[in-house]
Amino acid sequence: MTSSEPGTKPPKAAQASKAPKASKATTTSRTSTAAKTVKAPEAPKIPKGESHLALVRRARRINRELAEVYPYAHPELDFRNPFELLVATVLSAQTTDLRVNQTTPALFAAYPTPEDMAAANPEEMEELIRPTGFFRAKTKSLLGLSAALRDDFGGEVPGRLEDLVKLPGVGRKTANVVLGNAFGVPGITVDTHFGRLVRRWKWTDEEDPVKVEAVIADIFPKSEWTMLSHRVIFHGRRICHARKPACGACPIAPLCPSYGEGETDPEKARKLLKYEMGGYPGQRLSPPADFPGKPAPALGAV
């Protein structure tokens, strides 16, 4: 496993993994001392009548802080080309990226191109993607979008939002994922994590993903949209969880108006950290070279 790129400050989790091991007695002593000296972050003092300008400044500062914490933020779906990313994103509905990544190697080995997938036997495809859930509906979408790519786009994934959303099973979220990560076209991915966090941070109180996207697009320059999406989603999966956010271990706690919704004790909060922040594998079987964590295991691996 390689560390972060030269000149890039690795995340704290990665730095900690390189530290020499201490004896049990020393570790116990340090833990005891840390428990006495580490203080929970103070609740932020954000005015109730925060102006739009102040909100924009706070939001952009949060983005800068997240960039420091997650310099390696990236899409957590394994893919080698736009078609694979499109298919993987469709499969990711109502399941984890990890489960998709464990499922797609066999799927793409059987159907490497839109033409191959469009001609697939539905029952055989259903068995291949069964682990992702809702496999019958997803099979129907994959067969439909593959046929549309073959018949309407010469077997190529289009690089325009208006074309992508016409494909079966493809909405704005999926289209923005593909545009931002396969074509380099800026887009905001409003998934469940993104929506939850921007509401916790009081950037918006909108619930509709399209309206959320519009509000956030007005706060940040277009050049930041794709990486902002990755950083926010990374943070939502690793620290700011839905049921019990790890507030006491959150690096942006002083900027969060919802601080205190989760565990504020630093030691208890650290135990809630997930993926590489907690020393566990991330979601990708084939992560980028600068990813500090461990690759996820293949489907069925012990």
Side-chain angles (χ1 to χ4, degrees):
M1 175 56 60
T2 58
S3 61
S4 54
E5 296 178 351
T8 301
K9 181 181 177 182
K12 293 181 181 178
Q15 291 177 337
S17 65
K18 296 180 182 178
K21 294 182 179 179
S23 66
K24 185 175 182 181
T26 303
T27 302
T28 302
S29 175
R30 288 178 181 173
T31 301
S32 177
T33 301
K36 295 178 181 178
T37 59
V38 175
K39 295 181 180 180
E42 293 184 3
K45 298 177 181 178
I46 298 172
K48 293 182 179 179
E50 184 180 46
S51 69
H52 179 70
L53 178 59
L55 184 154
V56 169
R57 288 175 174 170
R58 180 170 61 85
R60 292 185 179 186
R61 184 178 172 189
I62 287 176
N63 183 42
R64 291 194 298 271
E65 293 288 339
L66 292 179
E68 290 289 326
V69 179
Y70 309 110
Y72 50 88
H74 59 271
E76 295 196 85
L77 290 168
D78 287 326
F79 70 98
R80 296 170 295 184
N81 54 59
F83 176 62
E84 290 190 356
L85 179 57
L86 176 62
V87 170
T89 307
V90 170
L91 289 176
S92 70
Q94 304 299 315
T95 191
T96 63
D97 285 356
L98 170 59
R99 184 50 58 92
V100 174
N101 292 335
Q102 292 173 327
T103 303
T104 50
L107 179 68
F108 294 137
Y111 316 113
T113 68
E115 292 83 359
D116 294 323
M117 189 168 287
N121 179 289
E123 288 76 19
E124 293 177 359
M125 183 183 290
E126 285 177 2
E127 286 306 307
L128 287 174
I129 68 171
R130 183 183 288 269
T132 68
F134 301 94
F135 56 90
R136 290 191 178 88
K138 291 178 181 179
T139 293
K140 184 177 179 180
S141 292
L142 293 184
L143 290 173
L145 72 83
S146 297
L149 293 177
R150 177 196 62 194
D151 299 339
D152 302 331
F153 297 99
E156 299 290 335
V157 176
R160 300 194 312 163
L161 179 69
E162 54 266 39
D163 292 329
L164 284 168
V165 295
K166 293 178 182 177
L167 299 173
V170 178
R172 287 186 67 91
K173 184 191 81 170
T174 297
N176 279 327
V177 169
V178 174
L179 289 174
N181 299 288
F183 292 101
V185 177
I188 296 173
T189 303
V190 185
D191 71 350
T192 181
H193 302 287
F194 192 96
R196 179 178 74 252
L197 267 61
V198 298
R199 284 187 287 272
R200 276 182 177 166
W201 295 334
K202 309 302 180 186
W203 293 0
T204 180
D205 57 3
E206 296 287 357
E207 296 281 348
D208 179 77
V210 176
K211 292 181 179 179
V212 170
E213 181 184 340
V215 171
I216 305 307
D218 188 51
I219 295 175
F220 293 91
K222 198 171 184 178
S223 59
E224 285 291 313
W225 290 356
T226 299
M227 287 309 301
L228 170 72
S229 299
H230 292 323
R231 294 165 190 151
V232 173
I233 293 170
F234 255 59
H235 194 63
R237 286 174 170 167
R238 287 152 178 77
I239 296 178
C240 195
H241 313 135
R243 294 185 179 179
K244 198 170 185 180
C247 294
C250 181
I252 62 167
L255 299 170
C256 179
S258 297
Y259 173 78
E261 284 189 9
E263 180 59 65
T264 57
D265 179 86
E267 295 302 324
K268 292 180 180 179
R270 287 194 191 98
K271 296 179 182 179
L272 300 175
L273 300 180
K274 294 184 178 180
Y275 307 123
E276 78 284 353
M277 304 299 285
Y280 302 102
Q283 302 240 335
R284 294 188 69 162
L285 277 65
S286 301
D290 62 346
F291 180 65
K294 305 172 185 177
L299 191 64
V302 178

